[in-house]
Amino acid sequence: MGRLRPAVLGADAATAAVGAALTLLTAVWSTRAGGTLTLGILLGLCTFLLVLVGYIVVPHVAVALTIPYFAALPTLKVLVSPQLGATKDVVTIAAALGAGVLLVQRRGARLGWRADRPLIVLVLLLIGLYVLDIGAGVTGGSRFGPGWFHGVRLVSEPLLLLLVGLSLDDPRRTFRWAVASLTATACGAALYGLLQQVLGGARLVDLGYAYGAQVRTIGPYLRSFGTFDEPFDYAAFLLFGIAAVLLWRNRGLFVALALGLLAFGLLVSFVRTALLIGLALIGLWLARQGRTATAVLLLAAALFGGVATLIASSGGTETRTFQGSSSTYLTVNGRTQSWKVALGDSSDWAFGRGVGVVGTAAERARVGVSQTRLAPNQPNLAAVDSGYFATIADVGFVGLIVQLSLLGRLIVLARGATARRQQAGWVVLGLLAVVLLDAVTRASFTGFPTAFLGMLVVGVGLAATAPERPALPPRAEHEPSPTAA
């Protein structure tokens, strides 16, 4: 008689464990609900499983579909249902679990994951600082509350998507599909932004958008926001598209038409920093052409222009209201002054005031993840208008050093790819340039969807430039066959 071997091998144990856990959770939930599950919950579970399987089996399709869905989600929350906002977390968790399954399968098949260890350490260290929330313990603030939860969530999910991008199978094919999807989605968003100019603010409000939230004006002009929550997210995403078109394929009629459309769409956002970021992207394009001196000049001009914009905006008249304590709300004119209050005393700067005390996480803790607009006279807690200062407010200068080291490591890896004449490295540098400059005057390291999609595509791009790793062999090749007695 032949000896029977287990059907489930070590390489498949992670997949089986995920399925068993979901089955158990569903059974428990069904028992607590009296044996019934709503259609929405069932659809959510099916979607979760589809995303999970997609990131394992067909990652190029999964990434290509994630990009337009994340880009359209802010509008879907307004026009369909605010509850859809939580689906971004479902997709992110499913993608992360899929990446974990792939890692276990590679270990089972004795195929290593050639990840950059310093990068992984920096990612885990930054997440760890947010989880431990040392600043709240030092200042005697509240730890591990709703603000902390949202702060950890908003920082961790883009970083998890970075790790997902680094770990997917067939990264070169996945990156080609991601660039194509990013370009097409950005062009679609630009068209929608131009259509909003035709419709006008009053018509957009009739459709369900709100003045002061999505619908904003500068003088008599409407600021287009595309499918996003605000013009700044719209401008950053269109700049992602410009980086993909300009640094991936820079010849042909399609490239000229796409760049023209994206430029016109960007113009009607009336975002001042978009010009500076555009200069940086042109500088990278010139560097790719070998015009190093001119490229360095433009990149330096973009950097110093960003700093000058930051300083000039300190005397602005924009009014922001945010929480100074549990029962006090402070109104401050201008960005620099609001930062002084948000960051607290200099004694708090080492580890911050605590995760979620001010900023986007504090606002999410108050209104929930599906909030689409602020009610009249409702205080706005998102007062820290810079990703760098938001990091200092949460985890201090220690956290900022880790964050800058992480971003610097990404740049070094991308620059190494360009030195090896790998085209994907230039696109990664372009995306990082958008993120770094956009964060000067906006809390964009945690912004949705730009931070989420930016880190995902950066991860895939860096994986595509790494030495090609062996693919998982077909089951028949690595599964032991029964032996005869």
Side-chain angles (χ1 to χ4, degrees):
M1 294 290 295
R3 228 173 9 172
L4 297 177
R5 297 294 182 105
V8 179
L9 302 177
D12 300 319
T15 308
V18 171
L22 288 175
T23 302
L24 179 62
L25 288 174
T26 304
V28 172
W29 200 340
S30 177
T31 301
R32 289 180 176 273
T36 61
L37 288 174
T38 66
L39 179 61
I41 295 173
L42 292 175
L43 289 176
L45 286 174
C46 290
T47 302
F48 180 88
L49 290 174
L50 284 175
V51 173
L52 174 64
V53 173
Y55 271 87
I56 297 174
V57 180
V58 283
H60 57 288
V61 176
V63 171
L65 292 178
T66 298
I67 292 172
Y69 179 69
F70 275 13
L73 187 55
T75 283
L76 294 176
K77 289 194 301 180
V78 175
L79 302 183
V80 180
S81 170
Q83 303 304 319
L84 289 173
T87 59
K88 68 177 181 297
D89 306 298
V90 174
V91 172
T92 301
I93 294 171
L97 284 176
V101 169
L102 287 172
L103 179 60
V104 173
Q105 288 181 337
R106 291 194 190 102
R107 290 177 63 89
R110 297 180 180 178
L111 300 175
W113 180 33
R114 299 176 184 176
D116 183 74
R117 289 188 178 181
L119 179 61
I120 303 302
V121 170
L122 289 169
V123 168
L124 296 179
L125 185 57
L126 184 57
I127 294 176
L129 286 173
Y130 271 82
V131 172
L132 295 176
D133 195 9
I134 300 173
V138 172
T139 60
S142 176
R143 303 178 72 182
F144 312 128
W148 167 84
F149 168 76
H150 288 286
V152 172
R153 177 180 66 85
L154 291 171
V155 167
S156 299
E157 289 185 359
L159 295 177
L160 285 176
L161 288 174
L162 171 66
L163 298 181
V164 168
L166 288 167
S167 62
L168 294 177
D169 279 338
D170 199 2
R172 289 174 173 81
R173 183 185 186 187
T174 302
F175 186 69
R176 291 194 300 269
W177 280 59
V179 170
S181 177
L182 183 61
T183 302
T185 305
C187 289
L191 282 173
Y192 191 45
L194 293 171
L195 176 62
Q196 288 171 343
Q197 293 293 318
V198 177
L199 293 176
R203 177 57 177 155
L204 292 172
V205 171
D206 291 339
L207 292 175
Y209 296 109
Y211 275 115
Q214 298 86 18
V215 181
R216 304 184 186 188
T217 58
I218 181 167
Y221 302 106
L222 170 71
R223 306 181 71 175
S224 290
F225 52 92
T227 59
F228 303 90
D229 285 328
E230 59 181 19
F232 307 101
D233 293 332
Y234 167 72
F237 190 79
L238 262 57
L239 287 163
F240 278 170
I242 291 174
V245 174
L246 194 63
L247 300 172
W248 182 248
R249 295 283 184 262
N250 58 359
R251 293 182 181 178
L253 179 61
F254 170 77
V255 170
L257 292 175
L259 286 176
L261 175 61
L262 292 171
F264 276 115
L266 190 62
L267 182 64
V268 295
S269 70
F270 297 99
V271 174
R272 293 173 296 178
T273 52
L275 176 60
L276 299 174
I277 300 174
L279 285 177
L281 294 179
I282 294 173
L284 289 174
W285 177 77
L286 290 172
R288 184 185 164 202
Q289 306 303 314
R291 303 175 186 178
T292 307
T294 309
V296 170
L297 182 62
L298 283 178
L299 289 171
L303 177 61
F304 286 113
V307 175
T309 301
L310 179 63
I311 295 173
S313 66
S314 64
T317 58
E318 180 181 6
T319 299
R320 294 275 183 142
T321 303
F322 62 95
Q323 189 174 22
S325 66
S326 60
S327 60
T328 304
Y329 290 94
L330 304 174
T331 299
V332 183
N333 290 325
R335 291 185 172 90
T336 298
Q337 292 91 330
S338 68
W339 289 339
K340 290 180 180 179
V341 180
L343 300 184
D345 298 330
S346 58
S347 60
D348 302 332
W349 289 1
F351 293 102
R353 297 183 59 186
V355 176
V357 173
V358 295
T360 305
E363 182 182 355
R364 290 292 185 273
R366 178 170 55 87
V367 301
V369 297
S370 61
Q371 176 75 10
T372 58
R373 69 191 69 177
L374 291 174
N377 301 321
Q378 195 173 29
N380 178 13
L381 303 183
V384 186
D385 294 325
S386 168
Y388 304 102
F389 279 86
T391 300
I392 297 173
D394 285 338
V395 289
F397 279 101
V398 173
L400 179 64
I401 291 171
V402 175
Q403 185 180 59
L404 292 177
S405 300
L406 169 61
L407 294 169
R409 186 59 185 171
L410 292 173
I411 293 173
V412 168
L413 293 174
R415 182 66 185 91
T418 62
R420 298 190 299 270
R421 300 184 180 278
Q422 292 178 302
Q423 201 170 1
W426 290 109
V427 179
V428 172
L429 283 176
L431 297 178
L432 290 174
V434 175
V435 172
L436 287 167
L437 289 174
D438 187 52
V440 170
T441 55
R442 198 168 66 89
S444 58
F445 291 133
T446 58
F448 180 83
T450 49
F452 287 65
L453 294 179
M455 290 296 101
L456 176 61
V457 179
V458 164
V460 175
L462 291 178
T465 62
E468 190 168 1
R469 57 175 174 246
L472 282 170
R475 185 181 179 88
E477 294 183 12
H478 66 83
E479 181 179 2
S481 58
T483 56

